[in-house]
Amino acid sequence: MNWFIPQTINGLTLGGVYALIALGYSLVYGVLRLINFAHGDVYMVGAVVAFWTARWFGWTQTADDRVGPLLMVGVLVMSVAACMALGYSIERFAYRPLRKAPRLNSLITAIGVSFLLENVFQLKAVFGASPRGFPETRLPWSSINVGGIDIRFEQILILAGTFFFLVVCRYIILHTRLGLAIRATSFNHNNARLMGINVDQITSMTFVFGSGLAAVAGVFVGMYQHQIDPLMGVNAGLKAFIAAVVGGIGNLSGAVLGGLIMGLSETYIAGSSYSDYRDAFAFGLLILILLVRPGGILGSVTAEKV
Amino acid sequence: MSRLARNILVLFGVIGGPILAQYCANRFGLSQYAQGILYKIALNVTLAAGLSLIIGFAGQFSLGQAGFMSVGAFFSGLFTSKLVLAMTASMNPAFLEGDTTSAAFLRGGFLILTMLAGMAAAVVASILVGLPSLRLRGDYLAIATLGFGEIGYNLLLVYFQKQYSDTAYYMPNEVNFMEKTVNIASSWTVALVGILVVRNLISSTAGRALPAIREDEIAAGAVGINSTRYKLLAFIIGSVLASAAGVLEAHQTLTVNPANYRFDRSIEMIVPVVLGGSGSLTGSVLAAGLFTFLLELLRGLPSDAQQYRTIVYAGVLVVIMILRPQGLMGRYELGDLFRYIARRRSAGRPTMTLPALAAQQIIAPQSGKLECRDLTIRFGGLIAVNGFNLSLAPREILGLIGPNGAGKTTCFNMITGVYRPTSGDVCLNDQSLVGSKTFRINQRGIARTFQNIRLFANLSVLDNVRIALHAHLKTGVPAAILRTAAFYKEEALTHATAMHLLDLLDLSRVADERAGSLPYGDQRRLEIARALATRPRVLCLDEPAAGMNPAEKRDLLNLIAKIHQLFQLTILLIEHDMQVVMGVCHRIVVLDHGETIAIGTPAEIRKNPAVIEAYLGEPAGHAA
């Protein structure tokens, strides 16, 4: 048991990060039926912008130089704003022109955008290919001890953050006018247009939302692992996507549930003697869900009308 | 030139050409670097040909094709290494090396053997992956194949780490078959055979099932195409080609490195296919060759410019996708260019008369007895059709009418196997059809049209009909790939039959047009032609007169009568238009809210109070 509880906490933390990214996948898929392959890279950009902002505010890029909590909040806000702008531009300039083209084209374009971001950020002039340290935060306490188990402040922050954003998202989607418009758009673009909804604007909004959440996840991971690199979005993006599908893509609670499942299973397997097979397990789970319950755990599938 | 002579010439070109090229390259001292580029082009062309079949023609988006390269690399790499090492242990190790002709032949022989091993493994692997995942559609298929690819990578990596304490397997130097002697020859032979197989398949009646599935899987099933079988076939062929490329790469680099065959490699393979035009073999193959060449040119840049290579690549990809979503060549093939130059149209007047076709048993008048017994279907709590009974005598024309939402089309969907009834039975000539797949039901003699037209919109009018003749072909895929004499004979017959059917429905003048570009009335008639081509006993027409003007409706009435007389068919007709229903039907069944409320002759139905109420919404007595 002395192994199980800390691993569970680690797993939930990782799952929280996946969940935040998965929310963005789910939002965009719900509205556009597009797998936004570049989403994982937006998460990476979020971490990088935070890194830049901290440096701009005088952080000396050393592990000893801890930044204050207030500055960290400022860094987070900058990062979210930058990623929202990035998400908006990706949708506006790469996906919108292809709205009427076959779905395959959008998928290829998404992959192209993803490659583009990864490689631009690997340039020395931009960020560089190797990992760099992320500013540590001066915290009121670094960890608390509950019944002999250390829980880090960042872990609580990530889990609380995930839960907070899930509640906010659900509120927006289910109880606001904007949310109603998003749901209508997700149901049928043409019908939504006939009801006076600006579908393009709603689509942009979902990208902006999703990208903002990805930025939060990027900053959280930076704070938690103290290290970021330009390819950090590849693996996290894939895992988060699997999480979204496992939970039921298009379903917000499903995204969070899927994220936690992915995070927990990955941590448990990594701690077991089967740790070499953890990717095979993750993808195996994905395929199993696709075959047995294509709508995901909380989702549903609609049949095609003949 | 006779067809046999042409086939032999093609065969010599495919095998002799690369060998000749290799000979010339060695004779005139083409640099190893240049030979390497030629080899790389062949490799990518092979991959593009295979993927073009899977993605472009069958419309199945696989993101895991690099995984099949690793299957080929792994099995052939280990197979040859073990085999050759076992042999050299007992023999003079020089027997495979050296410049003698016999050594060269031996190396070639080994390469062929190892290639077959790799391909066989790929067949097994693609069936194991394809059977479950090809049930999924669109994005979901892409994700599942991506998942399989990553699982394969994971397993190979762990295997190598356990077995060799390394992330890759390095083949012993004795296995170096390809260097100098067979680099170009082997890779280009594989590439040309690959292109030929794919081309022969897609330009045959059997192979046209693939674009039909891409266009509309439900309609493909309704004309008797077993879509599972064809999707799997395309997947196997494409994967075998990928595996052959993997075999070549392993033997060229003497390495089996699973890290080379991950997600990004799959993407790298897909890019030229989509950019060249995902429905065009010519476009995909040309783009693959061109891209390989251009990327090699970029390699010549100074080293600090190298980092921009992938950025340029990804940028070009995004820009081309936005500017020309259909790819550079769209759906055009090289053959279309030749045809355009020669002004040769595939259409023209039918070359065979009806009696001649009947003699070949292509158009055989036949009819069937269709019965529905207590057919019931529930969707959740809704009972869409309840206890539907129907008995159609051979050669009867029966109309199925009722207000919107009465369950008419649902009955059609149950009869044709699109929906499985909750209870009850459908029988054709006293044999039950319940539980059979749509394509099987079509093959047993029930053809249908759709309420919302479901043509293969991007294919030609002629192809729409030719595809429907598919289930009755005697020569199959192997004959199409090998271009046997029987294949050519049947292809001519198929063409003649299709043209005859088009002529019958007054569509032969538009045979070369894109089906989706036809006016509405023509599209409706093309659906009927396509249904007739499957040689039905029972024809189910779902609102054929919808959207037609009075003159068109009169023509349609005459047409249905003509078809009925010519093909001796049993016809089940859903229609709202009373002029059509009353004019052509022997008997009429009226449905309302899933229940049968009246059966009788047109005259009886006209006077039936329940029918009047269902349509006008008030008791008949009040009107009087």
Side-chain angles (χ1 to χ4, degrees), chain A residues 29 33-35 37 93-95 97-98 101-105 107-109 111-113 115-116 119-120 122-124 238 241 245 249 276-281 283-284 286-287 290-291 294-295 304-306, chain B residues 55 61 63 132-133 135-137 139-140 142-144 146-148 150-151 154-155 158 162 218 263-264 267 270 274 278 307-308 310-311 314-315 317-318 321-322 325-326 409 413 418-419 448 450 452 454:
Chain A
Y29 192 89
R33 302 286 178 273
L34 166 75
I35 300 172
F37 261 103
F93 298 110
Y95 300 156
L98 285 164
R103 297 252 301 278
L104 178 63
N105 291 63
L107 201 59
I108 294 276
T109 311
I111 291 167
V113 171
F115 274 27
L116 204 59
N119 285 289
V120 166
Q122 279 185 59
L123 291 178
K124 247 193 211 80
L238 267 180
F241 174 72
V245 174
I249 197 155
D276 287 344
Y277 296 100
R278 62 174 182 273
D279 283 348
F281 175 83
F283 284 104
L286 169 76
I287 292 168
L290 285 178
L291 293 176
E304 190 182 357
K305 196 164 158 53
V306 181
Chain B
I55 294 182
F61 193 45
L63 271 181
S133 47
R135 284 167 40 204
L136 304 167
R137 296 206 184 148
D139 304 348
Y140 282 107
I143 297 305
L146 186 162
F148 273 113
E150 291 298 300
I151 290 175
N154 193 172
L155 297 182
V158 173
K162 292 222 163 102
I218 289 175
F263 172 60
D264 48 346
I267 299 296
I270 288 171
V274 178
S278 74
Q307 51 182 340
Y308 294 101
T310 328
I311 297 176
L317 176 67
V318 173
M321 273 295 95
I322 290 169
Q326 71 273 46
T409 299
N413 285 337
V418 177
Y419 296 155
R448 73 175 288 180
F450 293 89
N452 322 309
R454 299 187 84 124

Side-chain angles (χ1 to χ4, degrees), chain B residues 217-226 366 412 414-418 428 433 436-450 456 465 467-472 527-540 569:
Chain B
E217 204 168 329
I218 289 175
V223 297
I225 291 169
N226 181 349
Q366 54 183 355
F412 262 34
M414 285 192 284
I415 291 170
T416 54
V418 177
L428 178 67
L433 300 175
S436 296
K437 292 243 169 66
T438 308
F439 78 91
R440 195 71 76 194
I441 289 176
N442 174 266
Q443 288 173 1
R444 284 168 64 176
I446 298 182
R448 73 175 288 180
T449 63
F450 293 89
F456 307 125
V465 180
I467 285 163
L469 287 159
H470 167 276
H472 299 282
E527 269 214 328
I528 297 178
R530 188 178 68 175
L532 286 173
T534 64
R535 283 197 249 168
R537 297 166 189 280
V538 179
L539 179 63
C540 300
L569 282 165

Side-chain angles (χ1 to χ4, degrees), chain A residues 199-220:
Chain A
V199 167
D200 282 336
Q201 197 186 1
I202 294 298
T203 309
S204 294
M205 285 304 287
T206 59
F207 270 85
V208 167
F209 267 151
S211 304
L213 292 173
V216 172
V219 175
F220 278 1

Side-chain angles (χ1 to χ4, degrees), chain A residues 17-226:
Chain A
V17 172
Y18 288 159
L20 282 174
I21 310 175
L23 280 170
Y25 275 115
S26 231
L27 277 170
V28 167
Y29 192 89
V31 171
L32 274 193
R33 302 286 178 273
L34 166 75
I35 300 172
N36 179 14
F37 261 103
H39 190 60
D41 301 299
V42 173
Y43 149 86
M44 174 271 292
V45 173
V48 171
V49 169
F51 169 87
W52 283 340
T53 316
R55 202 171 54 178
W56 193 60
F57 276 108
W59 173 57
T60 56
Q61 281 185 256
T62 52
D64 302 331
D65 183 17
R66 297 180 168 226
V67 301
L70 206 65
L71 177 58
M72 208 59 208
V73 172
V75 161
L76 179 69
V77 170
M78 275 300 287
S79 157
V80 167
C83 282
M84 283 179 160
L86 177 67
Y88 175 83
S89 328
I90 292 176
E91 194 279 326
R92 177 67 190 80
F93 298 110
Y95 300 156
R96 194 178 296 177
L98 285 164
R99 206 56 62 74
K100 294 203 171 62
R103 297 252 301 278
L104 178 63
N105 291 63
S106 313
L107 201 59
I108 294 276
T109 311
I111 291 167
V113 171
S114 163
F115 274 27
L116 204 59
L117 286 174
E118 281 160 24
N119 285 289
V120 166
F121 276 81
Q122 279 185 59
L123 291 178
K124 247 193 211 80
V126 182
F127 184 80
S130 44
R132 295 220 208 166
F134 192 85
E136 290 190 38
T137 323
R138 266 200 309 274
L139 298 166
W141 33 269
S142 64
S143 67
I144 49 169
N145 193 300
V146 184
I149 294 152
D150 283 330
I151 303 175
R152 280 174 58 189
F153 182 84
E154 291 95 336
Q155 294 182 316
I156 297 173
L157 184 72
I158 291 175
L159 279 173
T162 306
F163 188 70
F164 172 73
F165 283 112
L166 170 68
V167 171
V168 170
C169 272
R170 271 186 70 94
Y171 180 79
I172 291 175
I173 298 285
L174 295 177
H175 301 288
T176 64
R177 256 168 64 95
L178 175 66
L180 190 64
I182 291 177
R183 277 182 288 152
T185 306
S186 148
F187 186 75
N188 185 315
H189 283 203
N190 284 334
N191 287 358
R193 256 186 218 111
L194 289 173
M195 298 299 119
I197 293 169
N198 184 342
V199 167
D200 282 336
Q201 197 186 1
I202 294 298
T203 309
S204 294
M205 285 304 287
T206 59
F207 270 85
V208 167
F209 267 151
S211 304
L213 292 173
V216 172
V219 175
F220 278 1
V221 161
M223 288 171 70
Y224 182 54
Q225 292 175 343
H226 311 309

Side-chain angles (χ1 to χ4, degrees), chain B residues 103-158:
Chain B
F105 267 105
L106 205 57
R107 284 194 289 258
F110 261 111
L111 199 60
I112 291 170
L113 202 64
T114 188
M115 179 96 36
L116 291 177
M119 286 171 156
V123 170
V124 176
S126 58
I127 291 173
L128 288 179
V129 172
L131 267 185
S133 47
L134 286 171
R135 284 167 40 204
L136 304 167
R137 296 206 184 148
D139 304 348
Y140 282 107
L141 173 68
I143 297 305
T145 46
L146 186 162
F148 273 113
E150 291 298 300
I151 290 175
Y153 164 71
N154 193 172
L155 297 182
L156 273 188
L157 192 67
V158 173

Side-chain angles (χ1 to χ4, degrees), chain B residues 125-198:
Chain B
S126 58
I127 291 173
L128 288 179
V129 172
L131 267 185
S133 47
L134 286 171
R135 284 167 40 204
L136 304 167
R137 296 206 184 148
D139 304 348
Y140 282 107
L141 173 68
I143 297 305
T145 46
L146 186 162
F148 273 113
E150 291 298 300
I151 290 175
Y153 164 71
N154 193 172
L155 297 182
L156 273 188
L157 192 67
V158 173
Y159 177 82
F160 283 148
Q161 274 165 352
K162 292 222 163 102
Q163 208 77 15
Y164 307 106
S165 311
D166 206 335
T167 55
Y169 173 72
Y170 300 98
M171 292 154 70
N173 218 21
E174 286 89 338
V175 195
N176 192 351
F177 303 146
M178 287 185 56
E179 201 195 335
K180 271 195 276 183
T181 40
V182 288
N183 223 330
I184 297 177
S186 57
S187 59
W188 276 99
T189 305
V190 169
L192 292 181
V193 168
I195 293 173
L196 196 68
V197 166
V198 175

